[in-house]
Amino acid sequence: MTQRAWPPAGLVEPDDDTLLAAWTMLLPAAPLVGRALLARWHEPHRDYHSTRHLAHGLAVLEQLGAGEDEQIAWWFHDAVHANNPPWDEQESAQLLDSWLTPFVVAERRERLQELVLVTINHDPHDGDEAAARISDADLAVLALPDESYRRSVEQLRAERPALEDDQWQTIRIGRTGTLLTTTQLF
C-alpha cells in the first residue's frame, strides 16, 4: 500500500488534493464522486465530522492494512451528516448505492453499504475483520493523546449548538458509557 501524506496521530486539516488523489486511486473512473464527497465533508456545519475525520480514519485504516472496500466505505460513512443517527448512516449507505451504481457491481455495493452501516453501533459480526477495522477507525479518536481527544470533543460539541450543556453531557456520557460496556471495543 502506498504511504499517504496525512498523519494518523491526530485530527489535522488535510490537503484536498491529497485526499482527491487517494480517492482517484480507489475508483479512477469516478473522480466526480470523489469531488462530490469531499464537498460534503467540507459542509459548514461540520466541526468534527470534517475532512480531518476523513483523513484520520483513512490513515488508521492504512495502518490496519485495510483494503479498497474499507477505504471506499470510509469515504461514505459520514457523507450524510445531520447529527441524526442512525438516519445519517442509513442515508450515507443509500447515497453510496446511488452514486456508485455506474461504477461498482451490486454485490460489492451491498458489502460497502454494510461497512458504512457498522458505524451505527460499532459492533461488527465475529470474524468480519473489515467491519472491525472500520469500527476501529471511527473510534480511533478515543486513543488520541489527551489534548487531541479534548479538541475532538469540543468539535463534536460545536456540531450540536442547539443542545443545552446538560443535554450534551447526558448524550456524551450515555454514548461513552455504552462504548465502555461493550465486550470488545477495539
Side-chain angles (χ1 to χ4, degrees):
M1 211 174 252
T2 305
Q3 292 295 319
R4 306 277 190 252
W6 49 72
L11 299 170
V12 297
E13 198 65 47
D15 176 77
D16 283 357
D17 291 335
T18 302
L19 286 169
L20 287 173
W23 171 263
T24 303
M25 287 176 57
L26 294 170
L27 283 175
L32 295 179
V33 173
R35 290 191 182 281
L37 284 167
L38 193 57
R40 285 179 169 271
W41 286 94
H42 276 297
E43 292 169 336
H45 68 280
R46 295 173 180 251
D47 289 287
Y48 173 80
H49 294 92
S50 67
T51 56
R52 289 181 306 275
H53 179 57
L54 172 64
H56 182 248
L58 288 170
V60 171
L61 287 171
E62 182 177 313
Q63 283 184 331
L64 296 174
E68 288 182 359
D69 283 358
E70 293 151 80
Q71 294 172 52
I72 292 168
W74 185 258
W75 271 86
F76 276 95
H77 89 283
D78 281 328
V80 175
H81 180 68
N83 276 308
N84 188 17
W87 182 86
D88 291 348
E89 292 83 0
Q90 293 164 345
E91 290 297 310
S92 293
Q94 289 301 313
L95 186 72
L96 179 151
D97 188 52
S98 173
W99 285 10
L100 293 187
T101 293
F103 309 104
V104 177
V105 297
E107 295 80 18
R108 186 177 182 199
R109 286 194 321 274
E110 287 174 21
R111 176 60 177 152
L112 291 167
Q113 287 180 295
E114 290 172 7
L115 293 173
V116 168
L117 294 173
V118 77
T119 63
I120 293 171
N121 294 316
H122 305 95
D123 189 19
H125 297 294
D126 287 342
D128 190 344
E129 293 182 17
R133 284 188 289 268
I134 291 283
S135 293
D136 286 353
D138 208 20
L139 298 176
V141 67
L142 299 172
L144 289 176
D146 188 54
E147 183 179 324
S148 295
Y149 172 73
R150 288 181 192 277
R151 189 170 37 253
S152 74
V153 173
E154 291 169 2
Q155 292 165 345
L156 283 166
R157 174 66 177 108
E159 288 185 349
R160 307 293 295 267
L163 290 178
E164 297 293 330
D165 286 341
D166 60 334
Q167 293 172 305
W168 164 251
Q169 289 296 329
T170 299
I171 290 169
R172 188 76 187 146
I173 289 168
R175 182 67 183 130
T176 54
T178 298
L179 291 172
L180 291 172
T181 61
T182 60
T183 55
Q184 185 172 345
L185 184 55
F186 289 99

